[in-house]
Amino acid sequence: MKPKRKIQTDLIHAGEEEKVDHSVVFPIFQSATFVSQDESAYEDIRYLRLNNSPNHRVLNAKIASVCCGEAAVVTSSGMAAISATLLSLLKTGDHVLVQNCLYGGTHSLFVEDLPDFGISVDFIDGNRPESWAAKIREKTRVIFVETMTNPLLEVADLEAIVVFAHNHGLIAVVDNTFGTPINYRPLDHGYDVEIHSATKYLNGHSDIVAGCIISTHERIERIVRRLNHIGPTLDPHACFLLQRGLKTLALRVHHQNTSAQALSEKLLQHEKVARVHYAGLPAHPQHRRAGRLFSGFGGVLSFELREGLDAAGKLMSLVQIPTSAPSLGGVETLITRPAITSHAGLTDAQCQALGISQGLIRVAVGIESVDDLLADFELALSKL
Ligand SMILES: *Cc1c(COP(=O)(O)O)cnc(C)c1O
């Protein structure tokens, strides 16, 4: 067996050992179908929707290696990865425990869609392990959490989740989009299934929508069968772009970790800033846990101004470098107000209950010069 290489090396080379026609870069196979080789099983037919094109094979192998999993599969969006996983692991009558502060699309899937298939859901507070056991039912099969919550960057008791899951025979699933495999390796910490919205850090350039799932051979095989029937396959060109984006993941995330830390510290010291949410700050409620589990605190932070709502709107228009847009994980810095974007579907009271004030601003830092970014925020704050 080859020695396990470091993630920086795997990002470049894993899955790509075999060169096609001496091409250094793995090419795009823009073909919906492939010549029959007397395949006997449906899954073995070479057809693009069946997730077995050369672009899929190489990219899936790379992602599995990077995340230290046995197998992986890419999907046409992060939501496709999440829904296909849940529809593979759960069936009518089953019950699932989910963290109470999830990405909006995932939350909607749990409360609007899964109940239509007879799958019931209960919410848990990721930081109160003593309250979880009371929610277990005979048919509880899965526990679903995120590495860090959006937009307050809270860190659930991720270690207790694994212990609890395995004590109760549950499958532990984590959406590691905010963690990235650079900062956190859930499978090494006992999680059974790791999911990403590859739209974000893995691709890193805000130019495709994609997702991926990493787990054991057996579980990925089961998920792929379901994916093949539902149909959210990533197209070969998007596979190519994701594969290219992945090569710089380590460089980008290291830069983003450093910039987000510097921006958090700078904002915290500013007299016009009331609060900063970032796990890299010692005052963050789960700073010690995050420091123990993660090798970096990520590229997303959020903050509130003392002046509140009006000042927040003004600041958004005063900053020059950040672009006002949803999403995160790209090379460009993006800025949003969650109360009017990702959490717009919630009432004021619901937002307040989650700790999301109307004036809360979220920043997803890119890879611009950190000096320029800090100066830009400094100038914008001085004009308020
Ligand atoms: C964006 C995001 C998703 C959904 O991913 P899409 O690629 O937009 O489908 C899921 N989870 C988290 C944490 C996200 O940030």
Side-chain angles (χ1 to χ4, degrees):
M1 212 174 106
K2 281 188 301 184
K4 178 73 187 142
R5 291 168 162 183
K6 291 210 181 352
I7 192 165
Q8 289 87 343
T9 310
D10 267 354
L11 285 164
I12 313 293
H13 297 293
E16 297 190 50
E17 292 80 4
E18 203 185 301
K19 301 294 177 202
V20 178
D21 208 13
H22 308 291
S23 175
V24 170
V25 174
F26 195 79
I28 305 173
F29 286 79
Q30 194 72 52
S31 182
T33 187
F34 294 82
V35 179
S36 297
Q37 310 277 321
D38 294 328
E39 296 87 356
S40 48
Y42 176 67
E43 305 296 323
D44 297 333
I45 295 171
R46 301 282 307 284
Y47 180 64
L48 194 47
R49 175 171 42 76
L50 303 180
N51 291 292
N52 56 19
S53 80
N55 291 102
H56 286 94
R57 279 207 314 268
V58 168
L59 180 55
N60 291 342
K62 185 186 291 292
I63 291 172
S65 185
V66 161
C67 294
C68 302
E70 284 177 19
V73 63
V74 289
T75 57
S76 64
S77 69
M79 286 313 303
I82 293 168
S83 54
T85 299
L86 294 168
L87 291 174
S88 304
L89 301 180
L90 298 164
K91 61 178 188 298
T92 303
D94 284 348
H95 175 244
V96 51
L97 292 178
V98 302
Q99 202 180 349
N100 56 10
C101 187
L102 290 174
Y103 174 76
T106 312
H107 181 91
S108 301
L109 178 76
F110 279 117
V111 298
E112 291 176 29
D113 303 308
L114 293 184
D116 284 353
F117 296 94
I119 296 161
S120 54
V121 178
D122 264 309
F123 289 95
I124 55 162
D125 179 337
N127 274 309
R128 292 187 52 226
E130 70 283 1
S131 67
W132 302 341
K135 308 242 167 131
I136 286 276
R137 297 188 202 162
E138 197 191 320
K139 292 258 191 161
T140 311
R141 303 283 184 231
V142 165
I143 188 163
F144 187 103
V145 292
E146 293 177 358
T147 314
M148 278 186 255
T149 66
N150 177 26
L152 297 178
L153 293 317
E154 284 173 8
V155 183
D157 195 338
L158 297 170
E159 293 154 308
I161 294 274
V162 168
V163 173
F164 178 82
H166 296 159
N167 283 344
H168 290 88
L170 313 182
I171 301 169
V173 181
V174 60
D175 177 339
N176 192 33
T177 302
F178 274 57
T180 82
I182 304 300
N183 289 337
Y184 184 52
R185 310 282 190 94
L187 300 181
D188 285 350
H189 290 265
Y191 278 87
D192 301 299
V193 183
E194 173 177 359
I195 299 178
H196 289 266
S197 166
T199 310
K200 316 292 169 50
Y201 289 98
L202 298 193
N203 179 59
H205 293 72
S206 308
D207 50 11
I208 60 163
V209 170
C212 63
I213 310 158
I214 310 99
S215 188
T216 56
H217 281 299
E218 189 237 327
R219 216 172 268 126
I220 290 296
E221 208 170 289
R222 221 165 96 202
I223 292 169
V224 169
R225 280 181 81 88
R226 190 128 302 177
L227 263 178
N228 290 348
H229 300 163
I230 306 172
T233 305
L234 195 64
D235 77 272
H237 187 246
C239 286
F240 173 85
L241 288 174
L242 175 53
Q243 191 165 314
R244 182 167 72 167
L246 273 169
K247 297 193 183 195
T248 55
L249 180 71
L251 296 174
R252 287 184 282 106
V253 171
H254 286 139
H255 187 102
Q256 284 159 316
N257 285 341
T258 310
S259 295
Q261 183 75 37
L263 182 58
S264 299
E265 288 170 6
K266 175 110 181 168
L267 289 168
L268 189 66
Q269 285 161 10
H270 203 284
E271 80 246 5
K272 290 181 184 168
V273 174
R275 252 183 300 277
V276 184
H277 307 277
Y278 186 66
L281 296 174
H284 183 282
Q286 294 97 33
H287 173 67
R288 287 186 50 201
R289 175 186 299 151
R292 189 169 68 241
L293 292 178
F294 306 157
S295 48
F297 299 108
V300 182
L301 61 107
S302 61
F303 66 100
E304 286 160 69
L305 295 170
R306 290 198 194 283
E307 296 286 321
L309 187 56
D310 292 343
K314 213 162 146 201
L315 184 83
M316 300 268 296
S317 56
L318 283 168
V319 287
Q320 299 285 307
I321 294 173
T323 304
S324 174
S327 199
L328 57 119
V331 292
E332 62 286 297
T333 298
L334 297 180
I335 191 165
T336 55
R337 271 181 50 213
I340 56 165
T341 54
S342 57
H343 294 70
L346 305 186
T347 62
D348 277 4
Q350 284 173 319
C351 273
Q352 228 151 41
L354 290 174
I356 300 164
S357 71
Q358 288 292 312
L360 184 77
I361 295 171
R362 188 190 78 182
V363 184
V365 302
I367 60 166
E368 300 95 342
S369 149
V370 65
D371 297 339
D372 289 342
L373 206 56
L374 296 182
D376 191 25
F377 273 91
E378 178 73 59
L379 186 63
L381 283 164
S382 75
K383 290 182 183 166
L384 284 180

